[in-house]
Amino acid sequence: MAGKITNKQFSTLETLQRLLRYREVMFKTIEFADINHAGAIPETIFYSFVIALKEQLSDEQANEVSLVFDVDNLLQARIINDRRNVDGVTKLLFNTSVFDVFRLCRVSLYRPLTKVSLNAAMTPLWSLMRQVKRGKLSTTPGTIDYLEWVDDLIYRVSDLLGKIRANIAKLQNVGVEFEKSATADPQGYSQLEAKRESYNMAAKLYQREIDPLKVFLDKHTRYEEGDGIFLTLEYFRSFFHTVNDTSRAYLMLSYEVQYLDLFSPIKQVANQVSIYLQKTQQSLYEHSAIDRAYSVVLAAYENTLGGDLRNKFINMSDLKPLGMSVQCPTLSRIAPFRTEKSPSFLDVAFNELATRVQSYAHENTEKILLSESISKENAKKLQHSQRLARWVDNFDWPLDTDFIALAHKELIQEWPDFKLSDLFEVQSRLINSPNYRLELKNEYQKMIDDVYELQYRVRHLVSVNKQQTEVN
């Protein structure tokens, strides 16, 4: 009786039906394969899952499980593609299509879409695009060759869309859990270790699955191997329009919209996990600092527990590790201010002082302040400049007249030591006067003496008080 049961085999449909009935074995098998990033599972591990299930069943059900999960039965039903010895371990290579059926039954089992798997999914699409561009595929709608490659294109685009939707649904659940964990504040060493493990898992998940998927669904993404999914779909949509295949052109547009709709949820998941990582990292830093400080204080305290009464209190030197790990460098004393004692330096310094003091002196004073400390030549220049300023302030300036020409005419007659350069001081004084405003004219004049040549644009004086009266 037992021999007859052992030799019985089922068809593919019958085997699948029974595998779905005892699906926990397949769920564990898929989880093991995903965790270990392997397409195959050791036969001993697989049968450990089967034995664990049989212990929970009746004898009749246990016999049925033995028949269904027998390797020979799974091979003939094409549930397993191959059984071979690898490095001394017998491994079972399951049919990926069968795995996909069971992934549909549980969201958490959907295969992660990493950067590698996303590139692998895009490779056939890039290949089709290159062949179309090179004219190696039929571009005549309705022909068998045309329908074959178009059907392959639609299958791959829709299959990838379904996988991405499934992964985003899985990641959304994960994102919500991490968002809740970000507000939790675990206490105790064991919970802190769990938090570290959770942080590492979240960081790995973000880097391995979330970020690549967010980049993939960005409509501007390009890869070294080819365009992103949106640019690829846009190319095929344009191609179908070119050959007047409007139904498939609209289908490509529909896929573009569906892929675009998936960007928002994956971005939300990325934000949730990113916030969790930031908060958890800060929390771990704080807990690590507290742990370290506690260990330092505890060690210092334990040094006081001996019999030596001289160590009754904690020694401050034992607490030095609590200070800054990086010592601030000592700042050297600032050198005292020193002035040059050379005659040239002192001459320049006193000339500058005399000039500044004279600018604040009383307007009617004839004496040059600090004259005893500067050269006679510089004192003479300051006296000349001060006398010129008084002349400008006391002169009765007519309005609407070329005041530079007027100043030149008056000064050259009155002042034997007048120079053309004095006109610059005259203009500067009038510009800063609160009584006048300068008005430019479209006229130019030239003055020449034995030393200087002055070319200037004609300017007239306008009374500020008169202008304000006219405005009022």
PDB file of all heavy atoms in Angstrom, residues 253-277:
ATOM      1  N   LEU A 253       0.982  55.147 -24.962  1.00  0.00           N
ATOM      2  CA  LEU A 253       0.671  56.338 -24.175  1.00  0.00           C
ATOM      3  C   LEU A 253       0.005  55.950 -22.859  1.00  0.00           C
ATOM      4  O   LEU A 253       0.288  56.536 -21.802  1.00  0.00           O
ATOM      5  CB  LEU A 253      -0.243  57.260 -24.982  1.00  0.00           C
ATOM      6  CG  LEU A 253      -0.705  58.542 -24.271  1.00  0.00           C
ATOM      7  CD1 LEU A 253       0.486  59.409 -23.884  1.00  0.00           C
ATOM      8  CD2 LEU A 253      -1.675  59.319 -25.153  1.00  0.00           C
ATOM      9  N   SER A 254      -0.881  54.958 -22.919  1.00  0.00           N
ATOM     10  CA  SER A 254      -1.539  54.477 -21.705  1.00  0.00           C
ATOM     11  C   SER A 254      -0.522  53.918 -20.713  1.00  0.00           C
ATOM     12  O   SER A 254      -0.607  54.172 -19.507  1.00  0.00           O
ATOM     13  CB  SER A 254      -2.575  53.411 -22.057  1.00  0.00           C
ATOM     14  OG  SER A 254      -3.110  52.811 -20.893  1.00  0.00           O
ATOM     15  N   TYR A 255       0.460  53.170 -21.233  1.00  0.00           N
ATOM     16  CA  TYR A 255       1.513  52.633 -20.357  1.00  0.00           C
ATOM     17  C   TYR A 255       2.346  53.761 -19.747  1.00  0.00           C
ATOM     18  O   TYR A 255       2.740  53.695 -18.574  1.00  0.00           O
ATOM     19  CB  TYR A 255       2.414  51.670 -21.128  1.00  0.00           C
ATOM     20  CG  TYR A 255       1.808  50.290 -21.308  1.00  0.00           C
ATOM     21  CD1 TYR A 255       1.748  49.676 -22.565  1.00  0.00           C
ATOM     22  CD2 TYR A 255       1.305  49.591 -20.223  1.00  0.00           C
ATOM     23  CE1 TYR A 255       1.203  48.418 -22.734  1.00  0.00           C
ATOM     24  CE2 TYR A 255       0.748  48.330 -20.379  1.00  0.00           C
ATOM     25  CZ  TYR A 255       0.699  47.742 -21.631  1.00  0.00           C
ATOM     26  OH  TYR A 255       0.147  46.495 -21.781  1.00  0.00           O
ATOM     27  N   GLU A 256       2.640  54.784 -20.530  1.00  0.00           N
ATOM     28  CA  GLU A 256       3.389  55.931 -20.006  1.00  0.00           C
ATOM     29  C   GLU A 256       2.671  56.538 -18.804  1.00  0.00           C
ATOM     30  O   GLU A 256       3.286  56.843 -17.774  1.00  0.00           O
ATOM     31  CB  GLU A 256       3.574  56.990 -21.094  1.00  0.00           C
ATOM     32  CG  GLU A 256       4.569  56.619 -22.185  1.00  0.00           C
ATOM     33  CD  GLU A 256       4.753  57.756 -23.176  1.00  0.00           C
ATOM     34  OE1 GLU A 256       5.090  58.870 -22.745  1.00  0.00           O
ATOM     35  OE2 GLU A 256       4.551  57.535 -24.386  1.00  0.00           O
ATOM     36  N   VAL A 257       1.362  56.719 -18.944  1.00  0.00           N
ATOM     37  CA  VAL A 257       0.573  57.320 -17.865  1.00  0.00           C
ATOM     38  C   VAL A 257       0.571  56.413 -16.629  1.00  0.00           C
ATOM     39  O   VAL A 257       0.705  56.883 -15.492  1.00  0.00           O
ATOM     40  CB  VAL A 257      -0.868  57.590 -18.343  1.00  0.00           C
ATOM     41  CG1 VAL A 257      -1.743  58.060 -17.186  1.00  0.00           C
ATOM     42  CG2 VAL A 257      -0.871  58.628 -19.464  1.00  0.00           C
ATOM     43  N   GLN A 258       0.441  55.107 -16.856  1.00  0.00           N
ATOM     44  CA  GLN A 258       0.401  54.176 -15.731  1.00  0.00           C
ATOM     45  C   GLN A 258       1.735  54.135 -14.990  1.00  0.00           C
ATOM     46  O   GLN A 258       1.768  54.091 -13.749  1.00  0.00           O
ATOM     47  CB  GLN A 258       0.036  52.774 -16.236  1.00  0.00           C
ATOM     48  CG  GLN A 258      -1.397  52.665 -16.756  1.00  0.00           C
ATOM     49  CD  GLN A 258      -1.719  51.261 -17.249  1.00  0.00           C
ATOM     50  OE1 GLN A 258      -1.864  50.329 -16.461  1.00  0.00           O
ATOM     51  NE2 GLN A 258      -1.835  51.103 -18.575  1.00  0.00           N
ATOM     52  N   TYR A 259       2.836  54.149 -15.749  1.00  0.00           N
ATOM     53  CA  TYR A 259       4.152  54.186 -15.100  1.00  0.00           C
ATOM     54  C   TYR A 259       4.339  55.494 -14.342  1.00  0.00           C
ATOM     55  O   TYR A 259       4.913  55.514 -13.238  1.00  0.00           O
ATOM     56  CB  TYR A 259       5.267  54.016 -16.139  1.00  0.00           C
ATOM     57  CG  TYR A 259       5.584  52.580 -16.473  1.00  0.00           C
ATOM     58  CD1 TYR A 259       5.077  51.978 -17.625  1.00  0.00           C
ATOM     59  CD2 TYR A 259       6.402  51.819 -15.642  1.00  0.00           C
ATOM     60  CE1 TYR A 259       5.376  50.660 -17.944  1.00  0.00           C
ATOM     61  CE2 TYR A 259       6.709  50.501 -15.956  1.00  0.00           C
ATOM     62  CZ  TYR A 259       6.188  49.923 -17.100  1.00  0.00           C
ATOM     63  OH  TYR A 259       6.479  48.613 -17.403  1.00  0.00           O
ATOM     64  N   LEU A 260       3.874  56.579 -14.940  1.00  0.00           N
ATOM     65  CA  LEU A 260       4.018  57.887 -14.296  1.00  0.00           C
ATOM     66  C   LEU A 260       3.238  57.951 -12.989  1.00  0.00           C
ATOM     67  O   LEU A 260       3.693  58.563 -12.010  1.00  0.00           O
ATOM     68  CB  LEU A 260       3.535  58.981 -15.254  1.00  0.00           C
ATOM     69  CG  LEU A 260       3.754  60.433 -14.789  1.00  0.00           C
ATOM     70  CD1 LEU A 260       5.241  60.713 -14.624  1.00  0.00           C
ATOM     71  CD2 LEU A 260       3.137  61.400 -15.783  1.00  0.00           C
ATOM     72  N   ASP A 261       2.080  57.303 -12.940  1.00  0.00           N
ATOM     73  CA  ASP A 261       1.261  57.295 -11.725  1.00  0.00           C
ATOM     74  C   ASP A 261       1.948  56.564 -10.571  1.00  0.00           C
ATOM     75  O   ASP A 261       1.587  56.770  -9.404  1.00  0.00           O
ATOM     76  CB  ASP A 261      -0.095  56.638 -11.997  1.00  0.00           C
ATOM     77  CG  ASP A 261      -0.996  57.523 -12.854  1.00  0.00           C
ATOM     78  OD1 ASP A 261      -0.729  58.735 -12.923  1.00  0.00           O
ATOM     79  OD2 ASP A 261      -1.947  56.990 -13.462  1.00  0.00           O
ATOM     80  N   LEU A 262       2.917  55.715 -10.896  1.00  0.00           N
ATOM     81  CA  LEU A 262       3.594  54.940  -9.852  1.00  0.00           C
ATOM     82  C   LEU A 262       4.720  55.708  -9.189  1.00  0.00           C
ATOM     83  O   LEU A 262       5.241  55.269  -8.157  1.00  0.00           O
ATOM     84  CB  LEU A 262       4.149  53.634 -10.448  1.00  0.00           C
ATOM     85  CG  LEU A 262       3.104  52.636 -10.962  1.00  0.00           C
ATOM     86  CD1 LEU A 262       3.797  51.449 -11.616  1.00  0.00           C
ATOM     87  CD2 LEU A 262       2.211  52.162  -9.828  1.00  0.00           C
ATOM     88  N   PHE A 263       5.108  56.845  -9.782  1.00  0.00           N
ATOM     89  CA  PHE A 263       6.240  57.594  -9.212  1.00  0.00           C
ATOM     90  C   PHE A 263       5.877  58.214  -7.862  1.00  0.00           C
ATOM     91  O   PHE A 263       6.682  58.216  -6.934  1.00  0.00           O
ATOM     92  CB  PHE A 263       6.692  58.690 -10.187  1.00  0.00           C
ATOM     93  CG  PHE A 263       7.845  59.493  -9.673  1.00  0.00           C
ATOM     94  CD1 PHE A 263       9.122  58.958  -9.634  1.00  0.00           C
ATOM     95  CD2 PHE A 263       7.655  60.787  -9.205  1.00  0.00           C
ATOM     96  CE1 PHE A 263      10.192  59.695  -9.155  1.00  0.00           C
ATOM     97  CE2 PHE A 263       8.717  61.530  -8.726  1.00  0.00           C
ATOM     98  CZ  PHE A 263       9.986  60.992  -8.707  1.00  0.00           C
ATOM     99  N   SER A 264       4.660  58.744  -7.748  1.00  0.00           N
ATOM    100  CA  SER A 264       4.255  59.412  -6.510  1.00  0.00           C
ATOM    101  C   SER A 264       4.275  58.473  -5.303  1.00  0.00           C
ATOM    102  O   SER A 264       4.837  58.822  -4.253  1.00  0.00           O
ATOM    103  CB  SER A 264       2.872  60.035  -6.692  1.00  0.00           C
ATOM    104  OG  SER A 264       2.454  60.681  -5.517  1.00  0.00           O
ATOM    105  N   PRO A 265       3.689  57.260  -5.388  1.00  0.00           N
ATOM    106  CA  PRO A 265       3.726  56.384  -4.203  1.00  0.00           C
ATOM    107  C   PRO A 265       5.130  55.928  -3.822  1.00  0.00           C
ATOM    108  O   PRO A 265       5.441  55.825  -2.634  1.00  0.00           O
ATOM    109  CB  PRO A 265       2.842  55.196  -4.605  1.00  0.00           C
ATOM    110  CG  PRO A 265       2.711  55.262  -6.079  1.00  0.00           C
ATOM    111  CD  PRO A 265       2.818  56.702  -6.438  1.00  0.00           C
ATOM    112  N   ILE A 266       5.998  55.657  -4.817  1.00  0.00           N
ATOM    113  CA  ILE A 266       7.356  55.209  -4.450  1.00  0.00           C
ATOM    114  C   ILE A 266       8.148  56.361  -3.861  1.00  0.00           C
ATOM    115  O   ILE A 266       8.984  56.175  -2.970  1.00  0.00           O
ATOM    116  CB  ILE A 266       8.087  54.597  -5.672  1.00  0.00           C
ATOM    117  CG1 ILE A 266       9.385  53.894  -5.212  1.00  0.00           C
ATOM    118  CG2 ILE A 266       8.418  55.651  -6.705  1.00  0.00           C
ATOM    119  CD1 ILE A 266       9.153  52.750  -4.253  1.00  0.00           C
ATOM    120  N   LYS A 267       7.867  57.589  -4.304  1.00  0.00           N
ATOM    121  CA  LYS A 267       8.532  58.751  -3.706  1.00  0.00           C
ATOM    122  C   LYS A 267       8.092  58.940  -2.267  1.00  0.00           C
ATOM    123  O   LYS A 267       8.894  59.291  -1.401  1.00  0.00           O
ATOM    124  CB  LYS A 267       8.226  60.007  -4.529  1.00  0.00           C
ATOM    125  CG  LYS A 267       8.974  61.238  -4.047  1.00  0.00           C
ATOM    126  CD  LYS A 267       8.665  62.445  -4.910  1.00  0.00           C
ATOM    127  CE  LYS A 267       9.416  63.672  -4.404  1.00  0.00           C
ATOM    128  NZ  LYS A 267       9.102  64.870  -5.219  1.00  0.00           N
ATOM    129  N   GLN A 268       6.808  58.683  -2.006  1.00  0.00           N
ATOM    130  CA  GLN A 268       6.293  58.785  -0.634  1.00  0.00           C
ATOM    131  C   GLN A 268       6.958  57.750   0.268  1.00  0.00           C
ATOM    132  O   GLN A 268       7.341  58.046   1.400  1.00  0.00           O
ATOM    133  CB  GLN A 268       4.777  58.597  -0.630  1.00  0.00           C
ATOM    134  CG  GLN A 268       4.154  58.749   0.755  1.00  0.00           C
ATOM    135  CD  GLN A 268       2.651  58.546   0.730  1.00  0.00           C
ATOM    136  OE1 GLN A 268       2.081  58.199  -0.299  1.00  0.00           O
ATOM    137  NE2 GLN A 268       2.003  58.758   1.852  1.00  0.00           N
ATOM    138  N   VAL A 269       7.102  56.534  -0.248  1.00  0.00           N
ATOM    139  CA  VAL A 269       7.782  55.486   0.527  1.00  0.00           C
ATOM    140  C   VAL A 269       9.225  55.891   0.804  1.00  0.00           C
ATOM    141  O   VAL A 269       9.743  55.714   1.917  1.00  0.00           O
ATOM    142  CB  VAL A 269       7.734  54.144  -0.239  1.00  0.00           C
ATOM    143  CG1 VAL A 269       8.606  53.114   0.460  1.00  0.00           C
ATOM    144  CG2 VAL A 269       6.307  53.633  -0.333  1.00  0.00           C
ATOM    145  N   ALA A 270       9.890  56.435  -0.213  1.00  0.00           N
ATOM    146  CA  ALA A 270      11.283  56.864  -0.051  1.00  0.00           C
ATOM    147  C   ALA A 270      11.394  57.933   1.034  1.00  0.00           C
ATOM    148  O   ALA A 270      12.321  57.908   1.857  1.00  0.00           O
ATOM    149  CB  ALA A 270      11.824  57.395  -1.380  1.00  0.00           C
ATOM    150  N   ASN A 271      10.432  58.855   1.084  1.00  0.00           N
ATOM    151  CA  ASN A 271      10.455  59.900   2.104  1.00  0.00           C
ATOM    152  C   ASN A 271      10.232  59.312   3.493  1.00  0.00           C
ATOM    153  O   ASN A 271      10.890  59.718   4.464  1.00  0.00           O
ATOM    154  CB  ASN A 271       9.384  60.947   1.804  1.00  0.00           C
ATOM    155  CG  ASN A 271       9.702  61.764   0.572  1.00  0.00           C
ATOM    156  OD1 ASN A 271      10.860  61.857   0.151  1.00  0.00           O
ATOM    157  ND2 ASN A 271       8.684  62.356  -0.034  1.00  0.00           N
ATOM    158  N   GLN A 272       9.310  58.351   3.590  1.00  0.00           N
ATOM    159  CA  GLN A 272       9.019  57.730   4.887  1.00  0.00           C
ATOM    160  C   GLN A 272      10.256  57.019   5.439  1.00  0.00           C
ATOM    161  O   GLN A 272      10.630  57.192   6.600  1.00  0.00           O
ATOM    162  CB  GLN A 272       7.866  56.741   4.748  1.00  0.00           C
ATOM    163  CG  GLN A 272       6.499  57.395   4.511  1.00  0.00           C
ATOM    164  CD  GLN A 272       5.423  56.369   4.187  1.00  0.00           C
ATOM    165  OE1 GLN A 272       5.700  55.317   3.625  1.00  0.00           O
ATOM    166  NE2 GLN A 272       4.184  56.700   4.535  1.00  0.00           N
ATOM    167  N   VAL A 273      10.895  56.228   4.601  1.00  0.00           N
ATOM    168  CA  VAL A 273      12.064  55.469   5.056  1.00  0.00           C
ATOM    169  C   VAL A 273      13.240  56.406   5.309  1.00  0.00           C
ATOM    170  O   VAL A 273      14.014  56.211   6.256  1.00  0.00           O
ATOM    171  CB  VAL A 273      12.439  54.390   4.015  1.00  0.00           C
ATOM    172  CG1 VAL A 273      13.679  53.621   4.453  1.00  0.00           C
ATOM    173  CG2 VAL A 273      11.270  53.418   3.825  1.00  0.00           C
ATOM    174  N   SER A 274      13.371  57.436   4.493  1.00  0.00           N
ATOM    175  CA  SER A 274      14.466  58.383   4.693  1.00  0.00           C
ATOM    176  C   SER A 274      14.333  59.108   6.026  1.00  0.00           C
ATOM    177  O   SER A 274      15.327  59.291   6.753  1.00  0.00           O
ATOM    178  CB  SER A 274      14.483  59.396   3.538  1.00  0.00           C
ATOM    179  OG  SER A 274      15.506  60.343   3.726  1.00  0.00           O
ATOM    180  N   ILE A 275      13.114  59.520   6.373  1.00  0.00           N
ATOM    181  CA  ILE A 275      12.886  60.182   7.667  1.00  0.00           C
ATOM    182  C   ILE A 275      13.188  59.230   8.817  1.00  0.00           C
ATOM    183  O   ILE A 275      13.795  59.612   9.826  1.00  0.00           O
ATOM    184  CB  ILE A 275      11.434  60.695   7.748  1.00  0.00           C
ATOM    185  CG1 ILE A 275      11.225  61.851   6.759  1.00  0.00           C
ATOM    186  CG2 ILE A 275      11.082  61.124   9.164  1.00  0.00           C
ATOM    187  CD1 ILE A 275       9.787  62.294   6.628  1.00  0.00           C
ATOM    188  N   TYR A 276      12.761  57.973   8.653  1.00  0.00           N
ATOM    189  CA  TYR A 276      13.049  56.976   9.689  1.00  0.00           C
ATOM    190  C   TYR A 276      14.563  56.817   9.885  1.00  0.00           C
ATOM    191  O   TYR A 276      15.057  56.773  11.017  1.00  0.00           O
ATOM    192  CB  TYR A 276      12.434  55.635   9.309  1.00  0.00           C
ATOM    193  CG  TYR A 276      12.934  54.485  10.148  1.00  0.00           C
ATOM    194  CD1 TYR A 276      12.440  54.255  11.427  1.00  0.00           C
ATOM    195  CD2 TYR A 276      13.936  53.633   9.672  1.00  0.00           C
ATOM    196  CE1 TYR A 276      12.913  53.214  12.214  1.00  0.00           C
ATOM    197  CE2 TYR A 276      14.417  52.589  10.447  1.00  0.00           C
ATOM    198  CZ  TYR A 276      13.902  52.382  11.706  1.00  0.00           C
ATOM    199  OH  TYR A 276      14.384  51.360  12.474  1.00  0.00           O
ATOM    200  N   LEU A 277      15.302  56.753   8.769  1.00  0.00           N
ATOM    201  CA  LEU A 277      16.754  56.572   8.852  1.00  0.00           C
ATOM    202  C   LEU A 277      17.410  57.760   9.557  1.00  0.00           C
ATOM    203  O   LEU A 277      18.308  57.584  10.380  1.00  0.00           O
ATOM    204  CB  LEU A 277      17.339  56.395   7.448  1.00  0.00           C
ATOM    205  CG  LEU A 277      17.020  55.076   6.748  1.00  0.00           C
ATOM    206  CD1 LEU A 277      17.511  55.099   5.309  1.00  0.00           C
ATOM    207  CD2 LEU A 277      17.638  53.897   7.488  1.00  0.00           C
TER     208      LEU A 277
END
